Amino acid sequence: MQYLANPTRFLKLTNPLIPLAWWVMFILLAVGLYGALVSSPPDYQQGESVRIMYVHVPAAWMALFVYSVMALASAVAVIFRHPLADVAAKTAAPIGAVFCFLALATGSLWGKPMWGAWWVWDARLTSMFVLMLLYLGYIAIWQAIDEPHRAAMIARIVALVGFINVPIVKFSVDWWNSLHQPASVFRMSGPTIAPSMLWPLLVMGLAYTFMFVALHLIAIRAEIAARKIRQIHIAEIGER
Amino acid sequence: MDTAANHVGFVMAAYLLSFLCLVALATFIIARDRRLKAEVELLERDRNRKKTS
């Protein structure tokens, strides 16, 4: 892991991965969308509305996954003082926030025809809303504090403390009575969803994952450039 | 997909919203990367010029 601490080495290693991640993402997205919109059957109760699942559920998975990546990167920054760990956490946050927003918005578009309400304050929806606030709070810290080391210290605490919300989101449908349906894919006793609906869902989930990988690597590269610009400006001020 | 079925508008809205948000996110990230990369190159070129002169 320390081998990647050097930004030049990191970029040399990851730059070829970006086009690869894009290509895999595009192929998976094409296959996933075909499965979601063409080959998978309508639900016997929800009808065609069930197709919202193929964009809603992967977005929700990614919102949780990206926050976990941020928490892991923050832990690595605290324990190992890895110079790129804070960069990884910082650049993951806006991507995770967009996935979280999409999970909330597409969930709302699914809720209206199925529940008759755009929004209900039940455990799953409320804990997802808290996750959105955590993302926004984390981004706000980096935006509000000019000094990067101070911002990083506070951001790490938010990412690590906020991680407690991730299992709350996951298990909220088991711990409390909820309008939201219980877990039907990642369960101890296996998925309860029909295979014809499961495979497009998993392929879409993988497509979103590769999209995150590509965007995250580009965002890390941009943040490394931003820090280099800052260093050049500081060096110029020192030379005067 | 049966486009005449009930609530298809909600399905289309969900896909359209996802597409627009993800394209906007990708555009923002890629544009920032290109802008900063160009800025670094410009600054380094200036620095090298100053060093040699």
Side-chain angles (χ1 to χ4, degrees), chain A residues 43-90:
Chain A
D43 184 68
Y44 78 108
Q45 275 185 325
Q46 301 184 28
E48 298 291 346
S49 305
V50 76
R51 298 187 196 281
I52 296 175
M53 169 177 75
Y54 304 109
V55 284
H56 167 71
V57 175
W61 285 344
M62 290 313 295
L64 294 173
F65 173 70
V66 175
Y67 200 90
S68 305
V69 168
M70 283 165 56
L72 182 69
S74 299
V76 168
V78 170
I79 298 163
F80 300 108
R81 308 271 169 204
H82 195 290
L84 285 180
D86 284 321
V87 173
K90 182 188 176 185

Side-chain angles (χ1 to χ4, degrees), chain B residues 4-49:
Chain B
N6 284 337
H7 313 308
V8 164
F10 289 97
V11 179
M12 287 177 176
Y15 279 80
L16 187 67
L17 183 71
S18 301
F19 174 77
L20 291 176
C21 285
L22 293 174
V23 166
L25 175 72
T27 307
F28 172 78
I29 290 173
I30 293 167
R32 183 174 183 258
D33 177 50
R34 287 187 179 169
R35 180 173 53 80
L36 291 170
K37 196 178 167 189
E39 204 175 325
V40 168
E41 281 170 6
L42 192 74
L43 284 169
E44 283 184 337
R45 216 179 299 143
D46 281 357
R47 270 194 114 189
N48 290 339
R49 203 182 300 143

